[in-house]
PDB file of all heavy atoms in Angstrom:
ATOM      1  N   TYR A 214     -48.901  11.557   8.841  1.00 93.00           N
ATOM      2  CA  TYR A 214     -47.929  10.472   8.777  1.00 93.00           C
ATOM      3  C   TYR A 214     -47.444  10.289   7.331  1.00 93.00           C
ATOM      4  O   TYR A 214     -47.818   9.317   6.667  1.00 93.00           O
ATOM      5  CB  TYR A 214     -48.545   9.163   9.293  1.00 93.00           C
ATOM      6  CG  TYR A 214     -49.038   9.261  10.709  1.00 93.00           C
ATOM      7  CD1 TYR A 214     -50.390   9.458  10.987  1.00 93.00           C
ATOM      8  CD2 TYR A 214     -48.159   9.164  11.778  1.00 93.00           C
ATOM      9  CE1 TYR A 214     -50.849   9.552  12.296  1.00 93.00           C
ATOM     10  CE2 TYR A 214     -48.601   9.254  13.089  1.00 93.00           C
ATOM     11  CZ  TYR A 214     -49.950   9.450  13.336  1.00 93.00           C
ATOM     12  OH  TYR A 214     -50.382   9.540  14.621  1.00 93.00           O
ATOM     13  N   GLN A 216     -44.860   9.202   6.056  1.00 86.00           N
ATOM     14  CA  GLN A 216     -44.094   7.998   5.767  1.00 86.00           C
ATOM     15  C   GLN A 216     -45.006   6.813   5.418  1.00 86.00           C
ATOM     16  O   GLN A 216     -44.532   5.789   4.957  1.00 86.00           O
ATOM     17  CB  GLN A 216     -43.165   7.640   6.935  1.00 86.00           C
ATOM     18  CG  GLN A 216     -43.868   7.116   8.166  1.00 86.00           C
ATOM     19  CD  GLN A 216     -44.420   8.178   9.098  1.00 86.00           C
ATOM     20  OE1 GLN A 216     -44.604   9.329   8.736  1.00 86.00           O
ATOM     21  NE2 GLN A 216     -44.699   7.781  10.336  1.00 86.00           N
ATOM     22  N   LEU A 235     -74.557 -13.698   1.385  1.00 97.00           N
ATOM     23  CA  LEU A 235     -74.837 -13.507   2.811  1.00 97.00           C
ATOM     24  C   LEU A 235     -74.807 -14.820   3.579  1.00 97.00           C
ATOM     25  O   LEU A 235     -75.162 -15.876   3.054  1.00 97.00           O
ATOM     26  CB  LEU A 235     -76.200 -12.843   2.982  1.00 97.00           C
ATOM     27  CG  LEU A 235     -76.326 -11.453   2.378  1.00 97.00           C
ATOM     28  CD1 LEU A 235     -77.751 -10.956   2.522  1.00 97.00           C
ATOM     29  CD2 LEU A 235     -75.338 -10.488   3.006  1.00 97.00           C
ATOM     30  N   PRO A 259     -54.038   1.357  -5.145  1.00 75.00           N
ATOM     31  CA  PRO A 259     -53.197   1.935  -6.203  1.00 75.00           C
ATOM     32  C   PRO A 259     -52.259   0.885  -6.791  1.00 75.00           C
ATOM     33  O   PRO A 259     -51.707   0.052  -6.064  1.00 75.00           O
ATOM     34  CB  PRO A 259     -52.415   3.027  -5.473  1.00 75.00           C
ATOM     35  CG  PRO A 259     -53.291   3.406  -4.329  1.00 75.00           C
ATOM     36  CD  PRO A 259     -53.966   2.109  -3.907  1.00 75.00           C
ATOM     37  N   ARG A 263     -49.666  -3.114  -5.635  1.00 60.00           N
ATOM     38  CA  ARG A 263     -50.080  -4.485  -5.939  1.00 60.00           C
ATOM     39  C   ARG A 263     -48.879  -5.401  -6.167  1.00 60.00           C
ATOM     40  O   ARG A 263     -47.843  -4.967  -6.628  1.00 60.00           O
ATOM     41  CB  ARG A 263     -50.969  -4.510  -7.166  1.00 60.00           C
ATOM     42  CG  ARG A 263     -52.288  -3.848  -6.950  1.00 60.00           C
ATOM     43  CD  ARG A 263     -53.174  -4.111  -8.115  1.00 60.00           C
ATOM     44  NE  ARG A 263     -54.339  -3.254  -8.053  1.00 60.00           N
ATOM     45  CZ  ARG A 263     -55.330  -3.343  -8.893  1.00 60.00           C
ATOM     46  NH1 ARG A 263     -55.312  -4.230  -9.857  1.00 60.00           N
ATOM     47  NH2 ARG A 263     -56.359  -2.540  -8.781  1.00 60.00           N
TER      48      ARG A 263
END
Side-chain angles (χ1 to χ4, degrees):
Y214 301 100
Q216 71 277 19
L235 298 176
R263 293 189 192 185

